[in-house]
């Protein structure tokens, strides 16, 4: 990304700490710099518990960094990030609203008339392949279908920045690939800036333009930044067999392996 | 299990109990039937009494009074519970300050309040409504409090990221979440509204099912007591069935 371009996200020395129950402080993320370009799809990969989700929450404005600043399209962030759509790892749909009401709500609270909002919501549900499920409740859908609703719920507001926190983590392998393809298809239409957090390196390479590797916590920091030059459009299931994919995967894994083992030792030590 | 088979078995239980009761109060199988009938009444007498009440229409007045008291107690208690539950859940300081008083008030057996309410609100329906309110209020209050406290964090964060302000979070997330807890406690709170009404009537009134039972007890009319109890049980079953219907409608989103 050229230096003078206005980045969608620019983290300047963002550090994140938590107060523990016993009055100690846990420094989850050491001061970190990271920029995401305006049409860039950046995947953040790291071992479990490395603080990659907290970095995402700081970008969303759900969490205040202990130090450092977050700039969104050149403007310092304070409070909730109004430019961002956030797809959560956990179920975040309102279970008491039907699927179509869940999707329409983002427009309704912004002042769009209900009939208009419902029309647009129906259109978005058709785009994610759920046109026939408008009047169901989320509980009646499968995990993959709920993620599709979540995607429509976020994209209907047309945010300039997409934040995704292991969105497909709870799904089975095949469904993840299908969701990855759906995401790429929708993304390719207007190429929003994306910050995609995952612990799955395959998924990160298959989807993104850049893979950022974080070290194991505490004081987690960025230890690698790899451009992914694989051609688009990509097929998430098949790109794994591409020689370039395999080479890139080996390079990144070399950087990641030590951190994964370290994180594993940390948790094993805590358990012992 | 098959539904009709279940119903059949349920009816069978009633038939066996009534048959045993009849044998005990009409034959010498379990001892002197006159003594047994004096203490436990006899099913035919009870059925006859209930028939008389319904055919003469005198029971409807009492049922109406009890129903009115229970309904008012339920509505007022629920409303208060929702308002205070919300207030306490959203203002942790208020909740912390009042915590011991809420616990103390809830621990008080409501029966001891009945004479005081009779003193304050008279012997009409309002002293019974007040008694029911003290029962319903706490059930709804605790459920709403829990419901607001335990709103799913991802759902709440999602609402924020979708652009909801505090008022919209309240309307689209906190309130539905709290109400789902209230609805799931409907059976308990409606039941307690009826208990409040009947106990209040029992302790001092001029109408209602509790009054009917109390009157019969006063003159050792065991048949009347049992008839009153059976009408009360039927009444509660009908109300509970209605609650189930309402619940099915309101909590449709929970069904899978």
């Amino acid at each position: 990304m050229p230096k003078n371009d206005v980045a969608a996200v620019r983290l300047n020395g963002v550090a994140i700490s938590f107060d523990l129950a016993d009055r100690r402080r846990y420094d989850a993320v050491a001061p970190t710099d990271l920029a995401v370009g305006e049409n860039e799809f950046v995947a953040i990969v790291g071992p479990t518990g490395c603080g990659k989700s907290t970095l995402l929450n700081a970008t969303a404005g759900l969490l205040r960094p202990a130090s450092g600043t977050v700039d969104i399209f050149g403007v310092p962030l304070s409070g909730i990030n109004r430019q961002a759509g956030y797809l959560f790892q956990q179920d975040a749909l309102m279970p008491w609203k039907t699927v179509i009401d869940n999707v329409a709500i983002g427009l309704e609270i912004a002042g769009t008339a209900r009939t208009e909002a419902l029309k647009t919501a129906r259109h978005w549900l058709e785009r994610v392949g759920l046109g026939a499920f408008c009047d169901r409740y989320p509980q009646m859908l499968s995990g993959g279908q709920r993620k599709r609703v979540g995607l429509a719920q976020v994209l209907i507001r047309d945010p300039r920045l997409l934040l995704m926190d292991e969105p497909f983590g709870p799904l089975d392998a095949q469904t993840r690939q299908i969701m990855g393809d759906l995401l790429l298809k929708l993304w390719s239409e207007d190429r929003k800036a994306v910050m995609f957090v995952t612990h799955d390196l395959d998924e990160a390479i298959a989807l993104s333009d850049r893979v950022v590797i974080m070290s194991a916590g505490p004081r987690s920091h960025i230890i690698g930044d790899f451009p992914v030059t694989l051609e688009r459009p990509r097929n998430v299931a098949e790109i794994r067999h591409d020689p370039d994919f395999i080479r890139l995967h080996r390079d990144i894994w070399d950087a990641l392996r030590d951190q994964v083992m370290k994180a594993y030792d940390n948790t094993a030590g805590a358990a012992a | 299990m098959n539904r009709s088979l279940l119903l059949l078995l349920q009816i069978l239980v009633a038939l066996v109990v009534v048959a045993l009761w009849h044998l005990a109060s009409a034959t010498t199988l379990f001892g002197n039937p006159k003594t047994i009938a004096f203490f436990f009444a006899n099913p035919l007498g009870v059925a006859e009494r209930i028939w008389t009440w319904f055919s003469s229409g005198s029971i409807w007045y009492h049922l109406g009074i009890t129903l009115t008291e229970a309904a008012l107690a339920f509505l007022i208690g629920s409303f208060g519970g929702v308002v205070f539950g919300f207030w306490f859940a959203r203002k942790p300081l208020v909740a912390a300050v009042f915590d011991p008083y809420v616990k103390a008030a809830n621990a008080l057996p409501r029966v001891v309040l009945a004479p005081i309410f009779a003193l304050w609100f008279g012997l009409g329906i309002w002293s019974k409504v007040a008694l029911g309110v003290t029962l319903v209020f706490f059930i709804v209050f605790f459920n709403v409090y829990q419901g607001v406290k335990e709103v799913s964090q991802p759902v709440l964060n999602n609402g924020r990221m979708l652009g909801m302000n505090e008022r919209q979070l309240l309307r689209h997330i906190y309130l539905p979440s709290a109400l789902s807890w209230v609805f799931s406690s409907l059976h308990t709170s409606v039941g307690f509204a009826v208990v409040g009404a009947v106990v209040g009537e029992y302790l001092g009134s001029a109408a209602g099912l509790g009054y009917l039972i109390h009157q019969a007890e006063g003159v050792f009319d065991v048949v009347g007591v049992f008839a009153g109890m059976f009408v009360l049980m039927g009444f509660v079953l009908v109300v509970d069935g209605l609650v189930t219907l309402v619940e099915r409608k309101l909590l449709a989103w929970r069904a899978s």
Side-chain angles (χ1 to χ4, degrees):
Chain A
M1 199 194 65
K3 271 262 184 305
N4 53 2
D5 203 9
V6 174
V9 177
R10 192 181 287 281
L11 307 181
N12 310 303
V14 168
I16 290 160
S17 309
F18 296 104
D19 288 320
L20 296 180
D22 52 0
R23 291 192 167 199
R24 279 182 307 160
R25 262 178 103 66
Y26 178 77
D27 297 318
V29 180
T32 298
D33 298 319
L34 176 69
V36 177
E38 206 161 340
N39 302 108
E40 201 178 20
F41 195 131
V42 175
I44 301 174
V45 184
T48 309
C50 76
K52 49 196 192 296
S53 297
T54 56
L55 215 50
L56 202 66
N57 285 339
T59 311
L62 291 169
L63 188 77
R64 276 174 74 97
S67 64
T69 55
V70 179
D71 290 344
I72 304 298
F73 294 101
V75 181
L77 177 68
S78 68
I80 295 288
N81 186 342
R82 297 275 163 222
Q83 309 280 353
Y86 196 130
L87 195 59
F88 291 83
Q89 179 181 10
Q90 309 94 322
D91 266 332
L93 299 174
M94 284 155 266
W96 42 82
K97 285 188 188 293
T98 56
V99 163
I100 193 164
D101 281 336
N102 260 292
V103 176
I105 187 77
L107 293 183
E108 278 185 72
I109 55 177
T112 309
R114 181 163 167 80
T115 45
E116 184 64 29
L118 287 180
K119 214 175 107 194
T120 317
R122 189 173 298 274
H123 169 69
W124 269 102
L125 281 167
E126 275 158 14
R127 297 190 73 182
V128 297
L130 288 178
F133 295 84
C134 289
D135 298 320
R136 303 276 182 95
Y137 286 98
Q139 241 85 343
M140 304 170 184
L141 304 183
S142 70
Q145 289 171 325
R146 285 205 286 268
K147 285 296 169 200
R148 286 166 188 262
V149 179
L151 207 52
Q153 187 184 48
V154 167
L155 291 176
I156 196 174
R157 297 175 63 241
D158 196 22
R160 294 173 75 189
L161 166 66
L162 271 182
L163 305 174
M164 309 181 101
D165 180 17
E166 304 199 32
F168 311 139
L171 307 178
D172 64 76
Q174 277 73 37
T175 314
R176 288 175 82 145
Q177 289 176 1
I178 293 168
M179 289 303 295
D181 279 328
L182 176 67
L183 174 63
L184 283 188
K185 188 178 130 244
L186 295 171
W187 176 76
S188 66
E189 288 167 12
D190 54 2
R191 301 215 171 196
K192 299 173 190 301
V194 180
M195 259 172 101
F196 188 100
V197 163
T198 178
H199 61 259
D200 182 347
L201 188 51
D202 282 21
E203 187 178 55
I205 300 172
L207 296 177
S208 71
D209 296 321
R210 223 171 99 206
V211 175
V212 172
I213 305 290
M214 292 189 71
S215 71
R219 283 177 302 285
S220 172
H221 54 278
I222 292 174
I223 52 165
D225 196 331
F226 299 81
V228 179
T229 48
L230 301 168
E231 226 170 286
R232 292 183 190 274
R234 301 176 190 164
N235 178 312
V236 174
E238 283 166 20
I239 202 164
R240 281 152 220 257
H241 311 303
D242 188 303
D244 288 335
F245 181 99
I246 295 168
R247 192 165 345 103
L248 197 56
H249 190 285
R250 194 184 320 118
D251 290 350
I252 302 179
W253 177 245
D254 282 340
L256 189 58
R257 181 176 40 217
D258 295 343
Q259 298 305 322
V260 171
M261 295 319 289
K262 199 168 141 195
Y264 179 76
D265 289 343
N266 282 352
T267 45
Chain B
M1 190 188 231
N2 190 322
R3 267 188 84 104
S4 47
L5 179 65
L6 182 65
L7 189 67
L8 199 75
L9 287 174
Q10 285 172 336
I11 292 172
L12 197 67
V13 171
L15 284 179
V16 167
V17 170
V18 172
L20 283 175
W21 185 17
H22 177 72
L23 284 176
S25 58
T27 68
T28 54
L29 211 60
F30 299 101
N32 185 354
K34 282 228 168 71
T35 318
I36 291 175
F38 177 78
F39 286 108
F40 297 97
N42 58 319
L44 287 178
V46 169
E48 200 187 326
R49 181 69 62 89
I50 293 175
W51 173 252
T52 320
W53 281 348
F54 278 95
S55 59
S56 73
S58 65
I59 192 74
W60 296 113
Y61 170 66
H62 297 286
L63 273 177
I65 292 284
T66 304
L67 186 65
T68 311
E69 291 163 352
L72 283 171
F74 173 74
L75 290 176
I76 298 171
S78 296
F79 180 77
V82 168
V83 169
F84 278 89
F86 250 95
W87 189 39
F88 276 44
R90 300 288 286 145
K91 300 268 185 279
L93 181 67
V94 176
V97 169
F98 282 97
D99 181 62
Y101 300 102
V102 170
K103 279 186 185 141
N106 187 38
L108 201 66
R110 306 305 194 280
V111 179
V112 304
L113 293 174
I116 298 186
F117 285 150
L119 202 64
W120 292 350
F121 302 110
L123 290 174
I125 67 167
W126 290 106
S127 56
K128 288 83 199 170
V129 172
L131 198 61
V133 166
T134 61
L135 290 162
V136 173
F137 172 83
F138 284 99
I139 298 165
V140 175
F141 170 82
F142 286 122
N143 272 294
V144 168
Y145 183 77
Q146 201 74 4
V148 174
K149 280 268 163 195
E150 295 195 3
V151 167
S152 144
Q153 202 57 41
V155 173
L156 205 54
N157 280 340
N158 194 22
R160 290 207 175 98
M161 291 310 295
L162 289 171
M164 291 188 193
N165 56 31
E166 278 301 308
R167 201 175 47 82
Q168 289 164 331
L169 286 177
L170 200 72
R171 173 165 162 222
H172 293 289
I173 295 179
Y174 284 114
L175 197 62
S177 171
L179 286 185
S180 77
W181 282 70
V182 173
F183 294 146
S184 60
S185 65
L186 265 185
H187 289 281
T188 326
S189 48
V190 166
F192 271 108
V194 175
V195 167
V198 172
V199 169
E201 289 163 357
Y202 186 85
L203 292 174
S205 68
L209 282 178
Y211 163 81
L212 221 53
I213 296 173
H214 187 62
Q215 285 299 100
E217 276 178 4
V219 293
F220 291 102
D221 173 13
V222 185
V223 172
V225 173
F226 273 78
M229 290 197 298
F230 278 107
V231 171
L232 180 60
M233 285 190 262
F235 175 73
V236 169
L237 279 184
V238 169
V239 170
D240 198 68
L242 290 177
V243 169
T244 305
L245 286 183
V246 172
E247 194 181 28
R248 238 178 247 163
K249 196 129 199 115
L250 291 174
L251 293 181
W253 56 269
R254 275 209 186 154
S256 48

